[in-house]
Amino acid sequence: MTRLMVGRTLERICKGVLLLCLLHFLIMMILYFDVYSQHFDLFSRFNNGRNGSRNNGSGAGSGHHYYYYNLSRPNATLASYLTTGEQLVPTVQPENNQTPSPKPLPPCPENPPGLVGRLLIEFSSQMTMERVQKENPNVTEGGRYTPPDCRPRWKVAIIIPFRHRENHLKYWLHYLHPILRRQKIDYGIYIINQLGEDTFNRAKLLNVGYTEALKDSEYDCFIFSDVDLIPMDDRNLYHCYDQPRHFAIAMDKFGFRLPYAGYFGGVSGLSKKQFLKINGFPNEYWGWGGEDDDIYNRITLNGMKVSRPDVRIGRYRMIKHERDKHNEPNPQRFNKIQNTKNTMKKDGISSLTYRLVQVKKYPLYTNISVEIGKPPPRPIKG
């Protein structure tokens, strides 16, 4: 009886040992199969498809990440990881989410909300470039500025014919940079400096400014301004319009009135298309006067009309100064104005010649120094 009980007990122990051995064998097979299947990437597509389906099920951008454990070292087993004390670090499966692109800026408003209206303009306080630069930290090299919060319709080049007017330029920059920024204008400022002491030629310098500004950027609007004229109201918006624009319609030197109906002097603006339609400005007006009337004739002869702001908005103050040397009144201007129809096709941007000497970008403006030649000898009276 005792031997029988001992035999049964041994039989049960043997069966238990056999089951344990079988279980151990199955576990080891599963572990080895898992390790080597990952090593040879047998089931990588299956795992990727499963993770992808989970991602799709949770929705894009749901924030859920699915992990797999990388045991794919050659000859690696779960036991080797455990004995070396290494942790199983989850690897993040990359999601197919793209970085969201920034939203496009809205168009700049036609009437910017930051405008203040009538301005107090004075020239008695001393002005320095250092002061103007500190006042306009957002203006970049070359006198460039772009609104950060909206998309302007026009890209504007502001062109100033120049010679020996450094003091006037300081005041112009002091007042105009803040005005233009409040107007939400995408702009660059170009000073076209006539080298030498020969007779001044304003219109030819403006043609040079148009040409050189386009080398710097793709402008589609051009404002031509004398350096001694400051707008008295920031609602006089410096951009282009459906028709050529005359901005300076009410200067203090004219009693804040338009001197005559065809006046187009001081500050004016044309789109690139309008400028090319009139063949730019005349190159043969040497000395003071006449070129702005010729430009007015070109506009009307090409079927366009001059647009102007309200007289209460288009007011300007002029910095008082003596007339420049070598800029005496042009005695031929009246005859030339009468012949605009005959000369505008051959005298203009299409016939412009000059020598570029230097382009230098300053913090508040771009200076372009050029040689534009001399006036032809005047016919001898006889």
Side-chain angles (χ1 to χ4, degrees), residues 11 56 61 76 122 131 156 162 212-214 223 256 273 330 366 371 381:
E11 183 182 0
N56 293 336
E122 58 88 18
R131 173 183 169 182
V156 182
F162 188 87
E212 291 297 322
L214 283 176
I223 308 294
F256 296 111
K273 182 178 180 180
N330 181 0
T366 297
E371 293 178 351
K381 295 180 180 180

Side-chain angles (χ1 to χ4, degrees), residues 47-60:
N47 290 332
N48 289 339
R50 182 179 59 187
N51 290 333
S53 64
R54 288 179 180 176
N55 288 338
N56 293 336
S58 60

Side-chain angles (χ1 to χ4, degrees), residues 178-198:
I179 290 175
L180 296 170
R181 286 190 288 110
R182 290 197 298 271
Q183 292 182 354
K184 303 291 185 181
I185 304 293
D186 180 355
Y187 69 89
I189 293 174
Y190 298 86
I191 307 301
I192 315 303
N193 181 35
Q194 180 177 336
L195 296 175
E197 298 300 329
D198 290 310

Side-chain angles (χ1 to χ4, degrees), residues 6-43:
V6 171
R8 290 181 178 176
T9 301
L10 289 174
E11 183 182 0
R12 291 174 181 173
I13 292 173
C14 290
K15 289 182 179 179
V17 171
L18 182 61
L19 290 174
L20 288 174
C21 291
L22 182 60
L23 180 62
H24 175 73
F25 177 79
L26 291 174
I27 291 174
M28 293 303 295
M29 289 298 295
I30 291 172
L31 289 175
Y32 275 101
F33 185 80
D34 182 72
V35 169
Y36 283 98
S37 66
Q38 298 226 13
H39 176 57
F40 291 108
D41 201 28
L42 294 176
F43 292 91

Side-chain angles (χ1 to χ4, degrees), residues 321-339:
H321 60 90
E322 299 294 329
R323 178 165 292 169
D324 302 323
K325 292 181 181 181
H326 309 290
N327 192 30
E328 293 79 12
N330 181 0
Q332 300 176 346
R333 63 187 185 277
F334 299 109
N335 291 332
K336 288 182 175 297
I337 293 169
Q338 295 175 0
N339 290 310

Side-chain angles (χ1 to χ4, degrees), residues 232-250:
M232 299 177 66
D233 196 309
D234 63 2
R235 293 171 294 178
N236 194 358
L237 301 178
Y238 272 37
H239 60 70
C240 286
Y241 296 79
D242 293 337
Q243 298 291 333
R245 187 75 164 181
H246 183 215
F247 296 93
I249 66 170

